[in-house]
């Protein structure tokens, strides 16, 4: 049970890093970006190609994956996403879904449809010699890395000038511009950072989740569940929702494997009935 709990926490932390960018763009920027998983896939393929074809060390590939997907997000935000900010949500959904299928087709054409694998360094393979709980070295690495990212992200959003500018831009963009805030620049940087986090999550999750051109479609529902259950008014809700879903998914597949993802959808339905606004909703009156 302790081993399942540990693996569930690792999976939940990975889900959070993968989904937090979607929570930011949906909750703070009010934009439905269903192509978020495509950025995660891009980060995973950057890592796989650098490691398998160029021999780049794994730890070097991680920041490269973050920067590459952040740059890709910045370019696409400037050229494609920005004109869609003022469009209805249905237009945003159709636009981003179209990007997903274009990304799936493009990767399948360039790289192929085969499952991609990475060879982790020797020091990340195996488990630590602890009798009470089986602690996988790589899953422990994921927990530590994602915990540091979570703390840093919470600090940026709540304690820095950029975080206050972002909240001001979201609450009233017109007044924010009148105060001298570059709203477009704030949104561009936020979108790029969220895309970079997705790419980093894809790089970290390539070994656990697998990687192929259908990655954005297979895991999109998990990202949406995290954001829906956790709410979009803060990152605390998605963080706790990710842990809940990660532990529930791992335990459900172990104890009742025939039910598949039944446990996950049950958790989602119960939470939406009890807390339809999310685990941590912003105070009313906004």
């Amino acid at each position: 049970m302790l081993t399942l709990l540990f693996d569930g926490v690792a999976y939940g932390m990975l889900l959070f890093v993968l989904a937090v960018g979607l929570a930011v763009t949906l909750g703070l920027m009010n934009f439905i970006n269903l192509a978020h998983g495509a950025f995660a896939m891009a980060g995973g393929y950057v890592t796989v190609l650098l490691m398998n074809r160029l021999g780049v060390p794994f730890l070097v590939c991680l920041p490269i994956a973050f920067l590459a997907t952040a740059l890709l997000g910045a370019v696409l935000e400037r050229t494609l996403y920005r004109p869609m900010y003022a469009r209805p949500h249905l237009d945003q959904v159709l636009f981003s879904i179209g990007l997903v299928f274009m990304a799936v087709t493009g990767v399948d054409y360039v790289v192929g449809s085969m499952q991609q694998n990475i060879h982790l360094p020797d020091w990340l393979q195996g488990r630590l010699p602890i009798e009470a709980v089986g602690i996988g070295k790589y899953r422990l690495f994921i927990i530590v890395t994602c915990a540091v990212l979570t703390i840093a992200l919470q600090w940026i959003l709540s304690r820095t000038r950029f975080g206050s500018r972002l909240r001001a831009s979201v609450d009233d963009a017109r007044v924010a511009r009148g105060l001298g805030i570059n709203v477009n620049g704030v949104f561009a940087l936020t979108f790029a950072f969220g895309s970079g986090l997705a790419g980093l999550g894809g790089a970290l999750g390539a070994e656990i989740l697998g990687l192929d051109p259908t990655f954005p479609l297979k895991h999109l529902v998990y990202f949406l569940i995290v954001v829906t259950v956790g709410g979009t008014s803060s990152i605390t809700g998605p963080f706790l929702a990710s842990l809940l879903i990660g532990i529930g998914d791992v335990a459900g597949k172990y104890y009742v494997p025939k039910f598949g993802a039944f446990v996950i959808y049950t958790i989602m339905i119960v939470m939406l009935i009890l807390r339809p606004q999310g685990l941590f909703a912003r105070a009313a009156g906004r």
Side-chain angles (χ1 to χ4, degrees), residues 5-11 13-14 135 137-150:
L5 179 62
F6 177 82
D7 290 346
V9 170
Y11 181 44
M13 297 287 277
L14 181 60
I135 298 180
K137 294 180 181 179
Y138 186 59
R139 283 168 171 76
L140 179 60
F141 174 78
I142 288 179
I143 290 177
V144 173
T145 302
C146 295
V148 172
L149 289 174
T150 302

Side-chain angles (χ1 to χ4, degrees), residues 91-109:
D91 292 354
Q92 297 174 359
V93 169
L94 294 176
F95 165 76
S96 55
I97 282 291
L99 288 182
V100 170
F101 284 102
M102 292 175 65
V104 169
T105 304
V107 171
D108 182 57
Y109 178 79

